[in-house]
Each structure stands twice: as C-alpha cells, then as structure tokens.
Amino acid sequence: MMSKRLENLIYKKISRRKLLKNAAAGVASYAVIFNLPDEFLNLFTASKSSVKSDEIFFRPIEPSSADELVLPEGYSYDIIRKWGDKISENEYYGYNNDYCVYIPIDLHNGGKSSDDGILFINHEYPHPLFVSGYSYEDMKNNVRKSKLQVELEMKSMGVSIFRVRKEKGSWKFVNDRLNRRYDGTSEILISGPAAGTDEMKYAYKSKGTVQNCSGGITPWGTVLSAEENYQDCLDPKELRWGDVLKDFTEEHYGWMVEFDPFDPGYTPKKRTALGRFRHENIAMIKSQDGRLVCYMGDDKVNEHVYKFVTEEKFDSKNPDKDILDHGKLYVADFEKGKWLLLDYETSNPLKMHFRSQADVLVNCPEAAKLLGATECNRPEDIEISPVDGSVFIAFTNNYKKDDHHGSIVRIIEENEEHTSEKFRWEVYATGGDESGFSCPDNLHFDSKGNLWILSDIGSSSLNKGIYRSFKNNSLFMIPTQGTMRGKVY
Ligand code: FEO
Ligand code: CA
C-alpha cells in the first residue's frame, strides 16, 4: 500500500531527451553585538533535548465553514494591523499577509522577551480591485493598468516590520524608529554569484521585492523573505506590469531576500546563491561540521526540493553576515535518495545547456530537471524537527497526479549529517478523511516537538466537492513524540 502511495506522491521524472529539448529552447555596515541567547541558537541545532508532552493543551475545534476566526475555548485574538493601517509616518500595512515572525526586542542582548518584540510580516499579492481599482471587467476588456495602478499594486506587496508590545493581556502596535516597509518599489541589492552578471542584466540592484510568501529566520537574527509567484507580475494577461514599468527585469524576482529587522540602515539583499524559483520558505540548521544547511521548496506542481550548504562554518559570536553568498546548491532525487549538485563547473550536462553558474541559478527548475531531480507535488513549507533533525516537507497537492489532499514527507539525512549527499525519506502523514486535514501548506515546530500544520485548500475549491468535509482552512497539530505521537488534532 505504501509503495503505491509513494508513487502517487512524487511525479515521475520526465525523460532526459525531452528535457534536453526543452532546455535548448529555453553595502552598508552596521554595529550589532552578537550575544544571541543559547535558546535561540539551539533552534538551529537538532538538540534532541525537547520536552516530551503527553498533554494536548487545547480543546480541538470541529471543522467550521463560518466566516470568522474560530478559536479553541480559552483563546482570544487581537487585531494588531490591517491593510492600509499606518506603519510609520508615510508607510502603510500591505495586502494579503503571509509569513509572520515575532522577534524578541532584546534578542541581541541575550534576551527572549515574550511581551516586547518586532513583527516581520510578508505581503504576498494584491487584489487588483481593492488595491488599484482594476476590475474583472477591465481585465476582460483588455484595459491596460495605468502607471499609478501598477505602483499601487507594487506598493501593496513586500514586507512590514514594526514593534509590538503586550500590555494588560492584549497585543498592541507600537510606534517605533524600527517600523518600516519594503515594497515592490524599494531599493534592494542583488548579492551572490549571479549579481552583476549578464543573466541579471549586469545589475547589482533590483527594483523592489514582490510576491513575498513565507520565509525563515537566520541564526544571526535577520529574516529571509521568499519571493514566490513572481510570474504573476510578469504575465501580461494577469497584472500587465511589464509593459508599464520599462525598468522591470524578470530575472530580478524569484529570490530569497534578506532583511535586518533591527537595522533600518541595512539595504535588503537578494541572495542569488540560493537559486531562483517560486520560493516558499527556508529552514536552516547548523550541521555537525559547523556549516549551515538551508532547505527550500519550489511551490509549483511538478517542481523540486532544494538544499543549500554554506562554504564557511557558522560562528555565532562573530557571524559572517554574507555567509549565504557562498556555497553549494543541491536538488533532491527522491528515487535514488541523493542530493544532486547544481554546479556548472563540474557538470557536463549543465555545461552543455547553460552559459555559467549564474545562468544555472537564474534558471534552477530547468537545471534541476536536466540533472534528473524528482518532480514533486507542490513542495511548500519545510521545517526541521527540533527532536531529531529530520526535515519535514509539506507537499500540498498535485492535480496532475490526482493527489488532491497532499501529504507531509520526512527526510532523514545519512548519518544524521545535514551536509550529507544521501538521504532516506518516508511519508509522515497523508491528507484526506482519515487524517482530517487536506492540502498542508505552512509548517512549524514548537519546542515540545509538536508539528503545526496550516491547510491551504484554494479558495475556488474550499467547501466544495471532495473538499467539502474539511470546511474552512485550519491549523492542525501532530505531536511527534509521546503517547499521542502521530495523531492529528
Ligand atoms: Fe504563498 Fe505556496 O504559498
Ligand atoms: Ca504557503
């Protein structure tokens, strides 16, 4: 039974010949004292010291189709910011929140404040009607967006960074010098091997960051934001941007972008060594030999799972803040349990079809397919278990393979060494009526090793057909240790 499921899970590699054919067609410095708390740095090691819990500390709710946020008994929520609210004097909260990370305000002083911190939020994409007044009728009638409409949409994406504080039991927005926005019009640097190359139109800067999906925090206290569906900004039928903004360069989007929430003077950087694809998020861990290892998914049907290994070892007391500019990028072959190196210099197939390593990095999906990487069922969030260092991946679904409910797959690196080029894997949980969840998207581990899963049944399928019984998208918890291990709540 298992093998059949595995077969359904991973899309078969397409023939090399077909691929070859397809391929042919196609600095500011700042001073922060690094005194990060051990508890924070432990997030980046598989400490194997997580607390076991045999208690389910909330009363799970039933699926609901009510148009409201339904919480378990004893829980409440505060609205801190909403679209259009002020972030600073002249900056406003963006549209469609995605990634949300809380960073203790005293992080760099060895602290872990849980009632005073910075919120870092991604804004993924605009709804044209609300943001720029561009209607469905306009689209049907081939009306072009004005420059102003395009700019309004560009400004609604990117990230919001602002201070929050808990006062008398409620969370509040706080005006602060750290509060700011970066959007589709901000200046962003391009860093790493592709910067300044002809593949990037010789640029060291890009206009803005867009389609910011999920992300990840680094062990030096910065945040990476994932540019996901950048093609939506490029499709003339969709947003009609390319012909409005003449300086728009397609290759400048689809990267992981690094921000320093503590330093308003830091210009964010697109880290090209991490490759260009529809980035969903990033999860980092320090390997046994001290190098950093980053896992990333390309959220598209029949796309891939990637891993980046830094060249240098990570020093928490004196971190090299550009450590992500140098290293090796791999892509997963689930059939052979191997990480395939995307390296122009040492790969004949890559040399035959690309011009340089920059060309490989700009066109990761094509390079990955050329090497025979496994086509997956929409790899979304990836998170690393704090209990044993295994790597959990949410495969959301794949309509092309009749995988409607998705699954969660777990990778175990050879010898538990994250830099290893070999791995084993298993299906940890499958979506469907038996488990009660469908279309897993964002993942997170808490300190007890409980896996949290947010579902993302697309709005056009929600509460309909085979998805009806799951009702609205929900947050699920699976304990990964203790007597409740593997049960879904
Ligand atoms: Fe923006 Fe793949 O979720
Ligand atoms: Ca997502």
Side-chain angles (χ1 to χ4, degrees):
M1 190 179 98
M2 186 63 118
S3 69
K4 194 155 181 271
R5 275 191 176 166
L6 299 191
E7 195 181 298
N8 284 342
L9 183 79
I10 306 278
Y11 199 61
K12 279 217 171 69
K13 288 188 281 186
I14 65 174
S15 85
R16 219 161 258 246
R17 186 170 304 177
K18 192 172 159 198
L19 284 165
L20 292 173
K21 217 169 128 196
N22 289 347
V27 193
S29 68
Y30 64 104
V32 168
I33 297 157
F34 284 89
N35 177 27
L36 295 155
D38 289 344
E39 222 168 324
F40 176 72
L41 291 167
N42 282 344
L43 293 173
F44 302 95
T45 58
S47 59
K48 301 189 174 88
S49 61
S50 313
V51 188
K52 268 193 194 168
S53 170
D54 281 341
E55 267 176 41
I56 302 305
F57 50 88
F58 63 95
R59 185 180 290 181
I61 59 168
E62 291 296 318
S64 168
S65 51
D67 185 13
E68 58 182 321
L69 175 57
V70 183
L71 299 174
E73 203 179 293
Y75 287 78
S76 62
Y77 65 89
D78 301 308
I79 294 174
I80 300 170
R81 287 287 90 169
K82 51 189 188 322
W83 172 51
D85 284 348
K86 270 197 170 184
I87 295 298
S88 66
E89 190 52 34
N90 294 309
E91 293 172 305
Y92 300 88
Y93 193 67
Y95 204 83
N96 268 348
N97 325 220
D98 195 311
Y99 185 53
C100 169
V101 62
Y102 171 88
I103 306 150
I105 196 71
D106 51 3
L107 183 75
H108 283 292
N109 300 315
K112 49 176 184 177
S113 176
S114 57
D115 51 21
D116 187 357
I118 301 171
L119 270 193
F120 182 104
I121 310 279
N122 277 350
H123 300 291
E124 192 169 4
Y125 58 92
H127 189 303
L129 181 62
F130 297 127
V131 172
S132 68
Y134 187 81
S135 67
Y136 183 67
E137 291 302 308
D138 289 339
M139 192 179 75
K140 272 204 319 202
N141 296 326
N142 265 334
V143 175
R144 283 182 181 235
K145 281 178 190 164
S146 68
K147 193 164 190 290
L148 176 66
Q149 283 178 311
V150 171
E151 273 178 4
L152 285 169
E153 293 186 12
M154 294 282 257
K155 279 187 155 304
S156 73
M157 292 181 283
V159 311
S160 286
I161 299 171
F162 55 92
R163 185 103 177 241
V164 286
R165 205 176 281 138
K166 197 175 180 184
E167 286 167 7
K168 295 182 190 146
S170 301
W171 283 98
K172 292 196 165 58
F173 170 87
V174 178
N175 280 312
D176 195 270
R177 65 170 193 92
L178 294 175
N179 294 4
R180 62 204 186 273
R181 283 272 283 129
Y182 297 96
D183 60 38
T185 66
S186 308
E187 181 179 282
I188 312 281
L189 299 179
I190 299 169
S191 187
T197 61
D198 53 356
E199 284 76 15
M200 297 291 277
K201 308 284 186 284
Y202 308 103
Y204 288 93
K205 283 178 191 171
S206 89
K207 187 181 172 93
T209 180
V210 295
Q211 309 281 156
N212 306 73
C213 184
S214 187
I217 192 160
T218 71
W220 52 98
T222 61
V223 179
L224 287 155
S225 172
E227 293 184 327
E228 191 188 17
N229 288 302
Y230 58 91
Q231 75 287 346
D232 286 352
C233 310
L234 308 170
D235 183 349
K237 285 196 214 75
E238 286 281 333
L239 293 174
R240 295 151 206 282
W241 288 5
D243 55 359
V244 177
L245 296 167
K246 298 285 181 248
D247 53 351
F248 190 92
T249 306
E250 177 179 341
E251 292 79 7
H252 291 184
Y253 306 91
W255 302 100
M256 292 292 328
V257 195
E258 186 172 356
F259 297 82
D260 189 338
F262 290 95
D263 184 7
Y266 179 88
T267 308
K269 291 181 178 174
K270 301 203 173 187
R271 298 289 181 190
T272 61
L274 300 175
R276 176 172 172 263
F277 41 92
R278 288 164 190 80
H279 277 285
E280 176 72 23
N281 88 322
I282 186 164
M284 281 189 200
I285 192 155
K286 193 172 167 178
S287 65
Q288 291 170 30
D289 76 3
R291 287 179 288 165
L292 280 180
V293 181
C294 312
Y295 295 89
M296 302 168 286
D298 183 349
D299 179 12
K300 193 187 170 204
V301 162
N302 297 339
E303 288 303 330
H304 308 282
V305 173
Y306 295 84
K307 154 168 131 173
F308 178 78
V309 181
T310 61
E311 199 171 294
E312 302 296 330
K313 293 180 181 179
F314 173 67
D315 175 359
S316 64
K317 294 291 170 226
N318 185 24
D320 168 4
K321 295 186 291 292
D322 289 314
I323 196 170
L324 297 177
D325 279 347
H326 307 281
K328 290 178 172 167
L329 185 65
Y330 297 86
V331 62
D333 177 342
F334 284 86
E335 285 182 36
K336 295 199 177 90
K338 275 180 73 176
W339 290 105
L340 311 171
L341 181 61
L342 289 164
D343 179 44
Y344 176 82
E345 290 303 327
T346 56
S347 163
N348 281 331
L350 294 181
K351 271 191 170 153
M352 280 172 67
H353 295 282
F354 294 91
R355 293 182 298 177
S356 61
Q357 182 65 7
D359 196 14
V360 169
L361 292 170
V362 166
N363 299 291
C364 279
E366 291 78 8
K369 285 176 172 59
L370 193 66
L371 295 188
T374 307
E375 300 187 328
C376 301
N377 294 0
R378 286 188 62 199
E380 293 233 37
D381 259 33
I382 303 187
E383 292 295 338
I384 301 165
S385 163
V387 178
D388 60 13
S390 59
V391 180
F392 286 67
I393 309 166
F395 283 165
T396 300
N397 54 35
N398 188 341
Y399 65 92
K400 289 187 181 171
K401 291 287 288 179
D402 281 336
D403 173 8
H404 300 291
H405 298 300
S407 56
I408 294 162
V409 160
R410 181 160 82 124
I411 283 179
I412 301 112
E413 298 279 22
E414 190 175 62
N415 301 322
E416 299 185 23
E417 170 52 87
H418 288 90
T419 60
S420 172
E421 294 191 355
K422 288 188 184 156
F423 64 88
R424 292 179 293 122
W425 63 280
E426 64 171 9
V427 179
Y428 186 78
T430 34
D433 275 331
E434 207 180 319
S435 61
F437 70 83
S438 178
C439 305
D441 181 345
N442 297 102
L443 303 179
H444 187 71
F445 277 102
D446 65 27
S447 58
K448 294 187 171 73
N450 297 313
L451 176 64
W452 294 83
I453 305 158
L454 263 167
S455 61
D456 184 8
I457 301 167
S459 50
S460 57
S461 307
L462 206 62
N463 290 300
K464 285 187 201 129
I466 57 164
Y467 295 108
R468 194 183 296 275
S469 63
F470 301 95
K471 301 195 175 176
N472 287 350
N473 285 311
S474 304
L475 178 62
F476 299 85
M477 185 189 86
I478 307 182
T480 63
Q481 39 175 9
T483 54
M484 321 295 195
R485 199 171 88 233
K487 295 196 172 109
V488 183
Y489 295 90

